[in-house]
């Protein structure tokens, strides 16, 4: 593996101090011999910094000399309240910010969210429309999607599939249900 530079981050807003926070990083490889590898984090809670050391697997052989974009989700974990600066450990450059607010609830989230296992976008070039498709599996037949909130945060589209319980949990069938 070799260290590679991260060029930018995609950081959703809304994490609080009882959430497992995460963000995406993106960059570009100089040829096709690189593949996204592991990452390492150094979080300094006192200085409110997160250093991301992104690595790539470098394979030897015939490589096309072309710019190859990459991206990867970075799992940070639970952070204390504050405004964190995200730094690329390879270059030392500031690549983003991650604000963490104080939680007003005792639970993990403000709402229960649907267990999403896959998400993708269908595009209709003729009509110029795009449709976000969310797929998942409920653990019982008493759950349903109540509302899907979508918020455009600039470089990030925040999607919150909020669920509701229908019926009485004591009479609920615990069969899995795809949606």
């Amino acid at each position: 593996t070799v260290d590679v530079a991260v060029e930018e981050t995609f950081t959703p807003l809304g994490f609080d101090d009882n959430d497992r926070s995460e963000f995406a990083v993106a960059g570009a490889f100089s040829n096709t011999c690189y593949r996204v590898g592991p990452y390492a984090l150094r979080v300094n809670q006192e200085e409110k910094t997160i250093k991301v050391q992104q690595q790539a697997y470098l394979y030897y052989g015939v490589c096309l000399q072309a710019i190859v974009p990459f991206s990867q989700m970075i799992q940070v974990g639970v952070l204390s309240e504050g405004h964190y600066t995200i730094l690329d450990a390879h270059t030392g450059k500031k690549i983003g910010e991650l604000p963490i607010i104080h939680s007003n609830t005792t639970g993990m989230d403000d709402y229960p969210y649907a267990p999403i296992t896959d998400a993708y976008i269908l595009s209709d070039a003729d009509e110029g429309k795009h449709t976000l498709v969310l797929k998942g599996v409920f653990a019982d037949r008493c759950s349903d999607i109540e509302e899907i909130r979508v918020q455009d945060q600039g470089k990030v589209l925040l999607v919150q599939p909020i669920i509701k319980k229908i019926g009485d949990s004591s009479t609920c069938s615990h069969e899995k249900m795809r949606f």
Side-chain angles (χ1 to χ4, degrees):
T1 60
V2 296
D3 289 345
V4 294
V6 172
E7 296 170 11
E8 66 180 321
T9 60
F10 299 92
T11 309
L13 301 176
F15 289 116
D16 51 37
D17 58 4
N18 68 356
D19 289 333
R20 291 186 316 258
S21 57
E22 63 184 9
F23 56 87
V25 296
F29 300 134
S30 60
N31 63 52
T32 60
C33 284
Y34 290 89
R35 297 286 185 268
V36 174
Y39 63 88
L41 289 179
R42 281 179 269 148
V43 177
N44 185 322
Q45 298 253 5
E46 291 176 14
E47 294 180 12
K48 303 291 188 226
T49 58
I50 303 168
K51 286 187 180 177
V52 180
Q53 181 181 359
Q54 180 64 57
Q55 295 186 324
Y57 297 108
L58 177 57
Y59 299 94
Y60 296 97
V62 178
C63 306
L64 295 177
Q65 298 303 308
I67 302 298
V68 181
F70 74 86
S71 64
Q72 177 154 286
M73 288 302 298
I74 305 295
Q75 308 295 322
V76 181
V78 178
L79 297 172
S80 61
E81 179 182 9
H83 194 89
Y84 291 78
T85 300
I86 304 170
L87 304 167
D88 176 38
H90 184 69
T91 63
K93 182 176 100 173
K94 177 182 173 182
I95 54 174
E97 297 180 355
L98 179 62
I100 304 293
I101 59 175
H102 177 68
S103 175
N104 293 322
T105 64
T106 56
M108 185 169 50
D109 289 311
D110 294 335
Y111 307 99
Y113 297 114
I116 303 299
T117 57
D118 193 15
Y120 54 90
I121 296 175
L122 293 176
S123 296
D124 183 339
D126 295 337
E127 295 196 28
K129 292 185 178 182
H130 306 285
T131 303
L132 174 63
V133 178
L134 303 175
K135 291 185 176 184
V137 178
F138 287 125
D140 58 43
R141 301 235 173 221
C142 291
S143 299
D144 197 6
I145 294 182
E146 177 178 12
E147 170 186 11
I148 298 177
R149 293 184 183 173
V150 179
Q151 184 181 27
D152 185 349
Q153 296 182 342
K155 296 190 305 183
V156 174
L157 189 63
L158 180 66
V159 179
Q160 297 172 298
I162 300 170
I163 62 172
K164 65 179 174 182
K165 290 293 185 181
I166 50 177
D168 183 358
S169 61
S170 64
T171 61
C172 182
S173 170
H174 291 286
E175 299 172 44
K176 292 184 177 183
M177 185 174 80
R178 294 183 187 281
F179 64 88

